[in-house]
Amino acid sequence: STPLADPTSFLWQMCLDMREWGESLPVTLPPGIRRMFDQELRYSYVYCIAPSVRAPQITDYTRSLIFEHALEYLNVMHEIAHTDLNSALYTYHDALKVYFMGNQFLAVIRDAEDVILSGRPVATPPSRPGCPPPPPIPRRHVQPMQSPAEMIQKSLRCLQCIPQTLAKYGERWEEAVMLMQSFQQLSKDMVAHLQNRQANASSVPQQQPQQLHQQQQH
């Protein structure tokens, strides 16, 4: 496959089509079915915009999109695995999706750690005339700004939840245990790194009152 001539417009159009599909779903859908469709939409967004042979370039804005959609998908799948996994609607294929989303989540943190974990919104790329607009970053609709400490905590919790989800799937599908072990191996350095950052960050607020008191004395 050769790269697309204008991959950005192609991908943004696909995201727009998927978003409009999601908005067209009946409000009368049972909650469990609605949740499945929402999860499929999040997975499709990430699958679409992740780097590929036809669209190899990736920006910090795209990484932010992947981070937010993967984070929500993985958190919801953790909840599903521990409450509704006995539903016939979930299969081993969902374990493969969790593994894929976990790897995409891990990759964007590795590639742009300072951008992703800063908590500052990434500037939206300008829309070109006649081209579809870039998809919105979901977090902006709820929390425009989060602290680095909050972002580290969210990321670390998610990375730790992924093996738990795969372990739960492993109770039904033995192959999922291998996915769990693989992801633990792939993510162990990043988990340790984020735990170290979290420990360092938690010590900062304890120093601030003392520093403030010293400044006031001067």
Side-chain angles (χ1 to χ4, degrees), residues 35 39 42 71-81:
R35 184 168 61 173
Q39 285 292 84
R42 294 180 186 114
L71 178 74
E72 185 67 14
Y73 178 92
L74 293 163
N75 286 341
V76 172
M77 286 309 296
H78 181 264
E79 179 186 342
I80 289 170

Side-chain angles (χ1 to χ4, degrees), residues 108-134:
V108 295
I109 298 176
R110 278 180 178 156
D111 291 346
E113 179 183 340
D114 291 340
V115 173
I116 294 291
L117 300 183
S118 71
R120 294 188 298 272
V122 178
T124 305
S127 297
R128 292 181 294 169
C131 297

Side-chain angles (χ1 to χ4, degrees), residues 1 9-10 28 48 57 70 78 85 112 117 127 132 150 152 166 168 176 182 187 189 206 213 216:
S1 299
S9 292
F10 177 79
T28 53
C48 172
Q57 299 301 318
H78 181 264
L85 189 56
L117 300 183
S127 297
E150 289 173 315
I152 292 169
L166 293 171
K168 203 67 181 174
S182 173
S187 63
D189 289 345
Q206 297 171 3
H213 180 65
Q216 287 172 341

